Amino acid sequence: MPLEFTRQRSAETAGIRAEIGAAPTGIPADALVVFLTEGGVGSGVAAEVDRATGGLLARLAAAGELTGRRYDCVSVLAAPGVAAPQILIAGLGKREAVDGGVVHRAAAAAARLLAGRPRAQVVFAGETWWTPSQVEQAVAGAAVGMVGQDLYRAEAKRTPFGTTIWTGVAAGSVGSGAAIAAGVNLARRLVNTSPDDLYPASFADEAATIAGRTGLEIDIWDENRLARERCHAILAVGRGSARPPRLVILRHRGTTGRAADALPALALVGKGVTFDSGGLSLKPSDSMLTMKMDMSGGAAVLGAIATIAALKLPVDVVAAIGLVENMTGPAAYKLGDVITARSGTTIEVHNTDAEGRIVLADVLDVVRGMKPGRIVDVATLTGACMVALGHDVAGLFSNDQPWCDRVAAAARAVGEPVWQLPMYPEYDEQIASDVADIKNVGDGRWGGAITAAKFLERFVGGIPWTHVDIAGPAFAEKPRPWTDGGGTGSMVRPLVELARGG
Ligand code: BES
Ligand code: MN
Ligand code: ZN
């Protein structure tokens, strides 16, 4: 593995701390980040900096240089009265529209710009009017924004700060924000890793390392165990690859009793297709290019449960990640194959590129056997979901409206947009097979995200379940103000919020 790989890994836990009671203008640092809403310097930290600099910010605002527009970042050098040689003013937009997602992205945008060259110490001045949850999301945003996609570059485009200091906000929220960022950056690193380096066994090794570090219980099923456990669906998809599949099961026992036989309250399930060539239903080259990201659901689940453990949340959570590489080798599964999934349900294969639902059939069945109170699965499942909702919005599908509402609320609380699609029973007709219990695609492409969810529903055994299709938001093909692009860590923050009961 390249050296950069190790270097980037340390950035997931970079030094972030709170300094309570200190005036942000007085702290020696390479840069000071201040947040600004639209409509002038107001009464917060920007006003404080304005006073310290003899009205500099107000003059810049009057001249139209400083607007406070969302994610606009304005740099002011060598301002009098400020210890740091550079002030970066990050726009939050209209104050009444500020939420966890806005502060997260604004902090990330500021950090991304400053991380364009090495900085030993950067001070972020939080606002007293932010809620503890918003502080957390801002802290997480700054730590996520300073990490780019540099795993394999000789010269990194972003250098994480040596130390990040947050002022004006509670130390507890700074600590939890840093833990959340570590989970997001972990997921992003796994997504951004070349599929030649990240395959089922190496993903499982990563999970084992994380488990060792955070105190999670871990069980890894290799191909022999998968065969003994009748996971023929996972094995079928994996057969075309020289790299055998894995199932990773992680457990966080956060409830006071910690009884070994206690049932998990929450199960997180992730699609971990480490590369999706489409199999014999081969993808065109253009669509295949980014398919290292097809394990983003698995990465999100791993990042989330690692954070849940780091935060010692008082909840019993299990995570299960189905890891396969979908390839076209001589033993590859074929169109017309009938697979008997672990549950006994038979699946007729009409398209080997609809592999994620086949893998998840067995993962969901394993999880169902653990009798969790609720299930949420995260998967880059369908291009159809992107046709429906675009790049930024995840699709929600559920057999239980209250549970779906809670997943949606958790996502929105941290600023990840989601939208529910319907699960009318009529869609079930589309996955009826002439020769087996079900087939792995619908009739034609219409409603493809829903027929995929309908397929998954067959394997959850009536347990309250919500499926999150992150085909759009998991990967940013182009840079945005708050990210260099690549893996986004989509759904890590919502899953952590969900485990908190949010
Ligand atoms: N991994 C893809 C879905 C995907 C597409 C994710 C684009 C992210 C970006 C999935 O395995 C897939 O290939 N789905 C097919 C299903 C079809 C064959 C029924 C699709 O969406 O085209
Ligand atoms: Mn596919
Ligand atoms: Zn796929």
Side-chain angles (χ1 to χ4, degrees):
M1 254 165 223
L3 184 64
E4 287 71 27
F5 207 79
T6 329
R7 188 186 58 196
Q8 189 109 7
R9 191 175 302 204
S10 63
E12 283 159 18
T13 49
I16 301 169
R17 61 183 168 87
E19 218 165 281
I20 316 294
T25 48
I27 302 175
D30 298 300
L32 166 65
V33 177
V34 174
F35 296 88
L36 181 68
T37 53
E38 281 177 39
V41 296
S43 56
V45 179
E48 213 178 297
V49 173
D50 187 55
R51 280 193 296 278
T53 58
L56 180 58
L57 299 198
R59 285 200 298 280
L60 288 170
E65 297 287 343
L66 207 52
T67 62
R69 273 198 298 263
R70 255 188 205 186
Y71 317 133
D72 268 5
C73 287
V74 176
S75 185
V76 176
L77 300 176
V82 176
Q86 179 173 6
I87 311 173
L88 195 75
I89 301 125
L92 292 173
K94 293 201 167 36
R95 176 157 173 169
E96 58 276 17
V98 170
D99 62 16
V102 171
V103 293
H104 182 79
R105 288 184 290 272
R112 175 170 176 252
L113 283 181
L114 291 172
R117 63 183 182 78
R119 322 247 177 192
Q121 182 153 304
V122 176
V123 176
F124 282 76
E127 292 286 347
T128 50
W129 54 273
W130 291 351
T131 65
S133 163
Q134 288 171 354
V135 170
E136 229 174 51
Q137 295 308 325
V139 171
V144 167
M146 67 182 177
V147 177
Q149 321 186 60
D150 295 314
L151 289 174
Y152 297 91
R153 265 199 273 264
E155 239 171 278
K157 288 198 178 173
R158 310 282 156 213
T159 309
F161 315 142
T163 306
T164 303
I165 295 175
W166 278 87
T167 63
V169 292
S173 304
V174 174
S176 46
I180 291 166
V184 173
N185 281 336
L186 162 65
R188 294 175 65 215
R189 172 171 64 77
L190 295 179
V191 173
N192 289 340
T193 301
S194 144
D196 199 36
D197 289 334
L198 196 82
Y199 45 89
S202 66
F203 188 121
D205 287 347
E206 288 278 354
T209 305
I210 303 292
R213 199 190 294 156
T214 56
L216 288 161
E217 291 169 27
I218 184 165
D219 204 1
I220 299 172
W221 292 7
D222 66 5
E223 60 274 35
N224 300 318
R225 178 79 190 267
L226 287 166
R228 287 203 302 279
E229 298 279 351
R230 305 179 320 282
C231 290
H232 303 301
I234 294 176
L235 288 165
V237 176
R239 263 186 1 224
S241 168
R243 268 116 177 219
R246 294 287 184 268
L247 176 66
V248 170
I249 303 168
L250 296 145
R251 186 76 180 259
H252 166 72
R253 294 182 204 270
T255 42
T256 40
R258 287 164 202 265
D261 56 355
L263 302 178
L266 174 63
L268 311 176
V269 169
K271 170 179 174 181
V273 174
T274 58
F275 184 71
D276 182 10
S277 73
L280 292 174
S281 310
L282 196 66
K283 284 185 185 294
S285 206
D286 283 352
S287 327
M288 206 190 293
L289 179 63
T290 56
M291 280 301 129
K292 67 175 181 184
M293 60 76 95
D294 212 17
M295 34 56 71
S296 299
V301 160
L302 177 60
I305 198 165
T307 307
I308 289 165
L311 294 175
K312 299 187 165 49
L313 296 187
V315 57
D316 199 335
V317 185
V318 64
I321 307 167
L323 296 161
V324 304
E325 192 180 60
N326 187 22
M327 298 292 282
T328 61
Y333 78 131
K334 298 169 288 293
L335 288 77
D337 277 355
V338 176
I339 305 164
T340 304
R342 186 176 194 268
S343 69
T345 300
T346 56
I347 303 166
E348 184 190 6
V349 178
H350 277 232
N351 190 318
T352 61
D353 197 12
E355 84 297 339
R357 67 198 73 179
I358 301 179
V359 171
L360 289 176
D362 278 351
V363 185
L364 287 168
D365 187 68
V366 169
V367 158
R368 185 197 52 75
M370 303 169 102
K371 300 187 169 64
R374 293 182 176 78
I375 302 173
V376 52
D377 82 73
V378 186
T380 49
L381 205 62
T382 65
C385 197
M386 300 173 72
V387 174
L389 300 174
H391 269 106
D392 294 329
V393 181
L396 297 185
F397 310 79
S398 185
N399 62 356
D400 185 278
Q401 196 55 46
W403 177 229
C404 188
D405 291 343
R406 280 184 55 194
V407 175
R412 290 182 182 132
V414 298
E416 288 197 20
V418 293
W419 199 259
Q420 188 181 357
L421 292 172
M423 289 282 273
Y424 294 112
E426 284 74 13
Y427 287 100
D428 281 305
E429 294 159 22
Q430 282 208 43
I431 54 171
S433 160
D434 292 337
V435 301
D437 296 331
I438 45 174
K439 58 182 160 82
N440 78 326
V441 295
D443 295 325
R445 50 200 281 263
W446 309 120
I450 299 170
T451 48
K454 276 288 174 186
F455 181 103
L456 298 182
E457 189 181 23
R458 299 293 182 100
F459 298 91
V460 300
I463 297 170
W465 152 83
T466 297
H467 157 59
V468 188
D469 193 332
I470 57 167
F475 196 82
E477 284 181 31
K478 290 192 215 89
R480 310 285 283 274
W482 54 88
T483 178
D484 278 3
T488 60
S490 161
M491 283 309 288
V492 173
R493 295 182 298 123
L495 291 180
V496 173
E497 192 66 18
L498 199 58
R500 280 175 157 166

